[in-house]
Structures are given as C-alpha cells and as structure tokens.
Amino acid sequence: MKKHVKLLSLLLSLCIMMTCFAACGNSSSQPTPGSSDKNTSAEQPVPASKITLFQQKAEIAEQLQQMAKAYTAETGVEVEVWAQAGDEYYTNLKTSLSSESGPTVFTLNSDSEINEVKDYLADLGKLSFLGNIQESLLAVRDGKTVGIPMTVEGFGLVYNGTMVDISKMTDTDALVSMIAENSANGIDTLGLSQEDYFLAGHMLNFPFALQEDPKAFCQKVYSGEVKLADVPEFQQYAQILSAIREHQTNPIEVTYDTNCGDFATSKTAMIHQGNWAYGVMSAYDPKFDMGITGLPINGNSKICVGVASVWCVNADATAEEQKLAMDFLTWLYTSETGTHYMMDEFGFIPVVDSMESKSLDPLSTAVAEAVAEGNILPWTFNTEWPAGIISTDLAPITQEFFTSSMTGTEYLEALNAAFVAAAGA
C-alpha cells in the first residue's frame, strides 16, 4: 500500500513540474488570440464597436434610448446615450470636447455654437442622403457640411381654440388687455416656464426677428448704435412680460412639464412653446382644437421657424468611430426603423424629401402649414446671438425681472448691456 502511495505522489509531482515548465514557456511567447492580457489590447487594438451620443432634447430622451437598442439589435454596434444635461448641455459638451473625451455624435443648437466648436466638427459631405435635404437646412462651414438637421421646429403662442379667440388678439395692447381681463375672472391666459430657452430665449426672438434686417439690427445693438429700450418692438415685449408678472403664475415657479400639463388640461389658455411640447401634452389626451400664432407685436401673427438642432460627428474621434457615426446617421435617415423613430416616435417634421410622416400631431401640422404658407419669422437667436448668452446672461436677468420690481425699461437696458458684453467678449 505504501509503495502505491509513493508512486502516486511521484506522478503528481511530475505533473506539477510539467505544468510549471509549460507556464514558464508561455510567458515568453506571444499572447494567444482572445487573451485577456492587458498587453494584448495595446499590441492588437480591437476595432471600435460603440459610439457615444449626446443631445439636448429632453422630450425624446426615452425614445432615444429605445432607438439606440433597436440600432444595436440591427447592426451589432452599441450606441451609448449620455444622460441629459439640461441648460448646462453646451457647457458640458465644450468641456468634454476640449478634454478629448467628447461624444462621437452630438448636437449643436445655433450658428454661434457651430462657429465656436467648428474645429471639432467632421466633414459629413459624403453621406448618401444629403442630396435629399434642402441645402439651406444643412450646416456648412468652410465649404464642408458639418451638421445634419434633426427636424424643423416652430414656436409661438400655443393656444386653446375653445378658450382664446385669436382673431381678437390683434396687437400687443389686445393681448395685454386679455391677460388682465381673464385674470380678473380667475383664468391664466399666457403661461411661461422656468427653463432658460422658454423663459428668455424663444420669446425674446420675436422683437429681433420682426426687424427689417435682423442681422444688421443685431450688429447695431452689439456696437452700441441702437438701444433696445428705444425700439418699439422691444418696448411692447417688455409690456407683455410686465403683464405676465402682474397677472399670471410666476414662471420661475413653473416647470416645463407643469406648463404643458396646465395647457393640456385647460388650466391655461395659452403658453409660449413649440411643436415639440405636444409630446408632453399628448399624455393628457387633450380633446380641444389647438394651434400656434405669433406674439402680436405690431400686429404680427407669424411664428418663428428654424432648425433647432443639427447632428454633428466628432472630428477628434478615431477614423473607425467616425465611420460608425456616419453609418448610424445614414441608418437614422434612410432605414425603415430609423425613419420610424424620427417620424413616429420623436414626432419630427421631415427634412429629407423621401421621408414622409402620416401622423403629425396638431402643433407640428400647424408648423408645417405655416412653412408652406410662408407665415414664418427667422430664428435670430440661433443665428445672430452670441453663443451661450441665453443661459449665461439673458435667463438670469429675466429671472431677476420676475422676482423683483425691475421696470420694463430697466429690464431692456440690462438685456442690452448683456448683448454688448457678450458680443465683445
């Protein structure tokens, strides 16, 4: 019995020695395919199979996550959607781009933003579907196409047709009187919300866009040649905001969701919003007729329409990542699944000629009709204002207006100073 035990011990020792020799031999050889050794990834890079996506439209956040999963299921390429950044989106985007950790695909919201980060924008000129998009909707810099429009959008006074007779809202005085009279009867006429663009960006676009030459007008303001407080359209704008402050719920206390919900449930007759807001409203299944009209400064009825955001690709991404990003954009705009998400899930108004939507909501339909009729004003805030001024300067000033006794003239003077300073920075 002892001999058998000794023999078994000897055999085990030999096996252990052979295993050690084999391990030592492998340590000096090249890593085998599939090895998890850290040096392997350094010596044999694995091709990219993921792109990261960053965009600002909070109203499509959930649908975007679903779309990313659908894309991965069809192509095997992962799309990591970065969390929303709200009003800090652009600041966070610039920080990540400058630190070389930026997203592969991202959106920009204005010409000034595009100009500021143009060195980070890849050339998208070889995308196959560009010929089916109106050239005026593309973002082009230095002869290169650097941005693809997500959609066109429009904003103005979104009204409940059963609560507001817009034929009587003929000018600023009529609107101000309507706000005061309805308030006396316990009705909120015109609601705003606290978010920067909804409080101090979109609505302020109207007096700029109503100028004969908005671009030249902006330059005169920036140079000090023109003072906003001396311009009738801005005086009327301040008059409307003063009426809201006096008679309506303070917008500083109202969120975007609450603003849309109050309108959808007929608690507010009008809100200043865009067609994108129907996504929130639809959850309440509103039954009344609704539409969009312009801020009636100088009797205006036109709404403001433009390209809210463009898709861009990070020029600092690797060549493989850029290719994956181009493939993703092509899928989004041309495939059956991609266009389904664009039209049906995101509720976007089509920008590609071959793309059709049979299910536009009432507000998007109103915007599409305004475009067809030419009843539109430009997005001056998106093309002429200094980058970042809405969140950095205009929103804080407007917040102060709604929480203080600042006069309309003082408000306009503060806005004027902010534009001059930002343009000269």
Side-chain angles (χ1 to χ4, degrees):
M1 183 68 179
K2 291 182 179 180
K3 290 182 179 180
H4 289 302
V5 171
K6 289 182 178 180
L7 180 59
L8 179 59
S9 299
L10 181 60
L11 289 172
L12 287 173
S13 299
L14 288 172
C15 288
I16 292 171
M17 291 174 64
M18 291 175 65
T19 302
C20 290
F21 288 141
C24 292
N26 281 338
S27 67
S28 61
S29 64
Q30 293 296 321
T32 57
S35 169
S36 59
D37 190 298
K38 292 182 179 179
N39 290 330
T40 303
S41 59
E43 297 172 2
Q44 298 178 355
V46 178
S49 60
K50 181 179 84 171
I51 59 173
T52 51
L53 188 154
F54 194 35
Q55 64 88 42
Q56 193 175 23
K57 293 180 70 61
E59 61 270 19
I60 65 168
E62 183 177 343
Q63 296 91 327
L64 203 64
Q65 292 284 0
Q66 295 169 356
M67 179 273 292
K69 293 178 181 177
Y71 184 71
T72 301
E74 288 192 12
T75 67
V77 177
E78 180 185 354
V79 178
E80 178 185 321
V81 180
W82 287 8
Q84 297 296 316
D87 292 331
E88 299 301 317
Y89 169 80
Y90 184 58
T91 300
N92 291 344
L93 174 64
K94 287 195 298 181
T95 300
S96 66
L97 289 174
S98 63
S99 64
E100 298 183 356
S101 60
T104 323
V105 180
F106 54 91
T107 60
L108 293 173
N109 298 337
S110 68
D111 280 11
S112 54
E113 289 180 359
I114 292 171
N115 290 336
E116 193 169 46
V117 300
K118 66 179 182 179
D119 291 341
Y120 296 100
L121 307 182
D123 187 353
L124 308 180
K126 293 184 179 180
L127 290 174
S128 61
F129 58 91
L130 289 191
N132 293 325
I133 299 178
Q134 291 185 36
E135 188 174 344
S136 63
L137 300 180
L138 299 170
V140 179
R141 291 295 181 278
D142 301 328
K144 300 186 300 183
T145 298
V146 296
I148 309 299
M150 296 177 77
T151 183
V152 291
E153 294 179 335
F155 60 77
L157 298 180
V158 178
Y159 63 89
N160 180 329
T162 63
M163 297 179 69
V164 176
D165 183 354
I166 61 169
S167 68
K168 296 181 179 180
M169 200 169 61
T170 54
D171 55 26
T172 296
D173 287 340
L175 173 59
V176 169
S177 296
M178 186 183 295
I179 292 173
E181 291 170 6
N182 285 346
S183 176
N185 295 319
I187 300 173
D188 268 358
T189 299
L190 176 53
L192 304 181
S193 67
Q194 63 189 218
E195 293 78 13
D196 293 352
Y197 273 77
F198 303 149
L199 183 70
H202 293 167
M203 198 168 176
L204 182 58
N205 183 78
F206 274 97
F208 279 97
L210 285 167
Q211 303 303 313
E212 183 176 353
D213 185 341
K215 182 179 180 68
F217 176 82
C218 285
Q219 294 306 313
K220 290 180 180 180
V221 172
Y222 302 160
S223 67
E225 183 179 346
V226 171
K227 305 293 185 183
L228 297 183
D230 297 332
V231 180
E233 290 81 4
F234 287 87
Q235 295 168 353
Q236 293 178 50
Y237 172 74
Q239 184 183 355
I240 294 170
L241 258 61
S242 295
I244 293 172
R245 182 176 65 180
E246 182 177 355
H247 298 291
Q248 309 292 269
T249 302
N250 192 325
I252 303 302
E253 302 171 0
V254 181
T255 66
Y256 167 71
D257 286 352
T258 299
N259 189 228
C260 294
D262 285 348
F263 175 78
T265 55
S266 299
K267 294 179 181 177
T268 304
M270 289 189 295
I271 59 175
H272 193 280
Q273 270 299 338
N275 59 288
W276 55 80
Y278 192 80
V280 176
M281 297 174 190
S282 63
Y284 298 88
D285 193 24
K287 301 298 184 184
F288 55 84
D289 291 332
M290 65 178 72
I292 307 180
T293 189
L295 207 62
I297 294 173
N298 287 352
N300 170 67
S301 63
K302 295 181 179 181
I303 65 174
C304 298
V305 174
V307 175
S309 301
V310 293
W311 292 112
C312 303
V313 173
N314 190 346
D316 280 353
T318 66
E320 178 64 20
E321 288 169 338
Q322 290 187 44
K323 180 182 182 303
L324 292 175
M326 307 289 185
D327 291 343
F328 165 74
L329 290 175
T330 300
W331 175 88
L332 187 60
Y333 281 82
T334 63
S335 73
E336 182 178 349
T337 305
T339 54
H340 161 70
Y341 274 95
M342 291 278 281
M343 299 297 95
D344 303 323
E345 300 296 333
F346 300 166
F348 285 174
I349 297 172
V351 294
V352 177
D353 291 343
S354 59
M355 196 182 294
E356 296 181 359
S357 177
K358 300 178 181 179
S359 58
L360 286 181
D361 61 72
L363 297 184
S364 294
T365 298
V367 171
E369 290 174 351
V371 172
E373 296 166 0
N375 195 33
I376 61 175
L377 294 172
W379 280 13
T380 304
F381 78 94
N382 219 33
T383 59
E384 308 303 332
W385 293 5
I389 190 173
I390 294 175
S391 294
T392 303
D393 300 291
L394 306 185
I397 293 170
T398 307
Q399 290 164 5
E400 182 181 356
F401 173 81
F402 278 113
T403 55
S404 71
S405 58
M406 180 187 294
T407 66
T409 298
E410 290 171 340
Y411 174 59
L412 294 178
E413 289 173 346
L415 293 179
N416 198 111
F419 276 109
V420 172

